[in-house]
Amino acid sequence: MLAGAASLALAGHAYADTTLKLVEVITSPDRTATLKTLVKEYEDANPGVNVEITSLPWGQAFEKFATMVSAGQTPDVVEMPDTWLTLYANNGALESLEPYLKDWDATENLNARALEFARSAGNEAYMLPYGFYLRAMFYNKKLFKEAGVTEVPKTLEDFREAAKKVSALPGKSGYCLRGGPGGLNGWVMFGAAAAGSNDFFTKDGKSTFDSDGWVKGLKYLTDLYKEGLAPKDSLNWGFNEIVAGFYSGTCAMLDQDPDALIAISSRMKAEDFGITTMPKGPSGKAFPTIGYAGWSMFKSSEHKDEAWKLISHLESKDANLTWNKRIGALPIYKGAESDPFFASDQFKGWFAELSDPDVHPTVMPTHLEEFAFFKDSLVIRTSQEALLGRITPEELGKQWADYLTPAQQKWMATNP
């Protein structure tokens, strides 16, 4: 009896000492607060399991997290951006979620896009998305009126003309350019619009970034900056800076995902701004980027069952709706668009894009394990050089193509 009691005590003590390490990488005070609330619900439902949250600033998250992993400081659960997924999945660092999804009663209620993106690395679910980020164009109605912009821009020409008019106002700029971390989306959307295509590669695996059409788009964006149609310091702007630039009235147009609504709607009256589709190019088409992020489990975790319970709680329908309402992403569950919150006027711009046959949501080439470094390091450095006039748009496109072509051809060789 004494031995049995001691055994139970030891077992209880071991369970009580269970600590799950979770790393979030797309951080803001509001997001972290919401995450802590949801994690607290999990802890309350699982006595003895504690979750230790590490929050990395997004601007340095890629490098900081890579350093953690290389030092053996891997978490149990990590917030996984789409652009990192293939890198860590191909390195064998992530646990497959397929066995868990097979037995999870919520799997059948996930929309098809959620499962498609979950399996984007080798057709195996190494991450479960929590939401989708689709770009649309915010515009400041008051600045438009003051500058004499009478029509909401629909084309690249309209966009440029509106930017020029607003930039003629003292201390104002037309476009909130994202020249720092996360800036690739803008280059891709304007490049694809100018090219009339969102194909990143030819059939033989050559990057299209150095093609005439894409280079025209790269030049379009560098010219906007050089001609003063974007704030001078936007060269280094990331997410927080471009959103602040918009709601402060510094610049009149901003391309962003629904997550920008959190800060904007709390600082601007609903009647003072609008949301519309991204401008269309000469082909009459627009190519807003669509991205996603979710939760992954590291293979090195010693507490996989508890880690999955944490992921499944964060991804449960009620928690997922709460999370996406706070962070401004589109939910992963079927029928979520009928929720009163997502059926509001503020989300019409994104649903208008999804229903427009000439708007083609663009998924980045995240299947390449080299893409994370490309997006979070190479693109920032080289695009800033182009904005400053140190290299030409043609040279910019060539540098990107020279990096991505061998990456794509290597992938094609192993994925016939």
Side-chain angles (χ1 to χ4, degrees):
M1 289 178 63
L2 287 173
S7 176
L8 287 172
L10 287 172
H13 178 70
Y15 186 68
D17 284 346
T18 299
T19 297
L20 292 180
K21 295 182 178 180
L22 179 150
V23 174
E24 61 163 342
V25 301
I26 309 175
T27 54
S28 72
D30 288 339
R31 291 173 72 103
T32 301
T34 303
L35 178 61
K36 287 181 177 178
T37 298
L38 297 177
V39 165
K40 180 65 164 54
E41 293 175 357
Y42 166 81
E43 290 176 328
D44 289 345
N46 295 271
V49 182
N50 301 305
V51 181
E52 180 182 289
I53 300 175
T54 299
S55 303
L56 301 180
W58 175 239
Q60 298 86 41
F62 178 72
E63 290 82 3
K64 286 182 178 292
F65 188 68
T67 300
M68 288 176 61
V69 172
S70 64
Q73 300 172 357
T74 55
D76 298 282
V77 176
V78 62
E79 182 179 20
M80 182 62 65
D82 55 353
T83 54
W84 299 9
L85 179 60
T86 301
L87 173 64
Y88 287 102
N90 286 0
N91 286 345
L94 304 180
E95 183 75 12
S96 172
L97 300 182
E98 293 291 351
Y100 302 99
L101 290 172
K102 182 179 179 181
D103 296 333
W104 192 33
D105 58 6
T107 300
E108 64 181 12
N109 294 319
L110 301 177
N111 60 45
R113 185 71 76 172
L115 291 172
E116 174 192 341
F117 287 161
R119 297 177 173 127
S120 61
N123 201 31
E124 185 88 5
Y126 290 107
M127 175 259 270
L128 182 57
Y130 56 60
F132 313 114
Y133 296 94
L134 178 66
R135 290 293 169 97
M137 187 65 68
F138 289 74
Y139 60 96
N140 186 312
K141 294 180 179 180
K142 293 177 72 175
L143 280 180
F144 271 16
K145 183 176 181 180
E146 187 177 350
V149 179
T150 57
E151 298 287 339
V152 177
K154 296 180 179 179
T155 67
L156 290 178
E157 291 182 2
D158 296 342
F159 181 87
R160 183 184 181 84
E161 187 60 30
K164 288 178 66 175
K165 288 182 178 180
V166 173
S167 298
L169 299 173
K172 305 297 180 182
S173 297
Y175 177 47
C176 295
L177 172 71
R178 187 168 181 171
L184 177 60
N185 294 66
W187 296 98
V188 165
M189 291 185 292
F190 285 102
S197 170
N198 60 0
D199 290 334
F200 290 104
F201 303 98
T202 61
K203 291 182 179 179
D204 59 356
K206 293 182 179 179
S207 170
T208 57
F209 272 126
D210 60 352
S211 66
D212 291 343
W214 278 89
V215 169
K216 285 181 181 178
L218 302 181
K219 185 176 187 302
Y220 178 93
L221 209 50
T222 56
D223 285 349
L224 282 178
Y225 181 77
K226 291 176 182 178
E227 294 172 15
L229 306 187
K232 187 175 181 180
D233 56 352
S234 66
L235 176 76
N236 296 303
W237 281 7
F239 174 81
N240 291 330
E241 291 82 8
I242 59 172
V243 173
F246 183 78
Y247 66 64
S248 67
T250 300
C251 37
M253 291 180 286
L254 164 73
D255 65 82
Q256 246 320 310
D257 312 308
D259 56 352
L261 275 172
I262 299 170
I264 292 171
S265 62
S266 67
R267 294 170 173 83
M268 296 180 70
K269 296 179 180 178
E271 61 268 24
D272 288 342
F273 69 94
I275 302 162
T276 187
T277 59
M278 290 296 297
K280 297 175 179 178
S283 67
K285 299 176 182 179
F287 301 91
T289 53
I290 185 170
Y292 54 97
W295 301 106
S296 290
M297 183 195 309
F298 260 76
K299 188 172 288 186
S300 58
S301 172
E302 297 179 355
H303 311 289
K304 291 186 174 65
D305 289 343
E306 291 83 0
W308 167 250
K309 286 182 181 179
L310 174 57
I311 292 174
S312 63
H313 173 71
L314 295 174
E315 301 274 18
S316 64
K317 187 171 184 178
D318 287 345
N320 186 250
L321 286 173
T322 297
W323 174 251
N324 283 292
K325 287 175 183 179
R326 301 283 176 81
I327 71 169
L330 305 176
I332 61 173
Y333 281 89
K334 297 173 183 176
E337 67 275 6
S338 63
D339 182 271
F341 179 86
F342 293 103
S344 66
D345 287 343
Q346 290 185 326
F347 281 87
K348 284 184 177 179
W350 288 283
F351 290 112
E353 285 190 326
L354 291 173
S355 63
D356 188 334
D358 291 321
V359 174
H360 303 270
T362 299
V363 178
M364 295 285 197
T366 55
H367 62 282
L368 302 177
E369 61 181 81
E370 295 87 351
F371 184 72
F373 172 80
F374 173 76
K375 171 184 177 290
D376 292 321
S377 184
L378 179 63
V379 165
I380 299 172
R381 174 177 57 80
T382 54
S383 64
Q384 288 177 337
E385 290 177 350
L387 291 170
L388 293 171
R390 295 172 183 169
I391 61 174
T392 66
E394 290 80 7
E395 290 170 327
L396 179 64
K398 185 177 186 305
Q399 288 191 39
W400 291 3
D402 287 347
Y403 181 85
L404 290 178
T405 293
Q408 173 69 3
Q409 292 179 342
K410 183 185 78 172
W411 182 86
M412 291 173 64
T414 56
N415 295 271

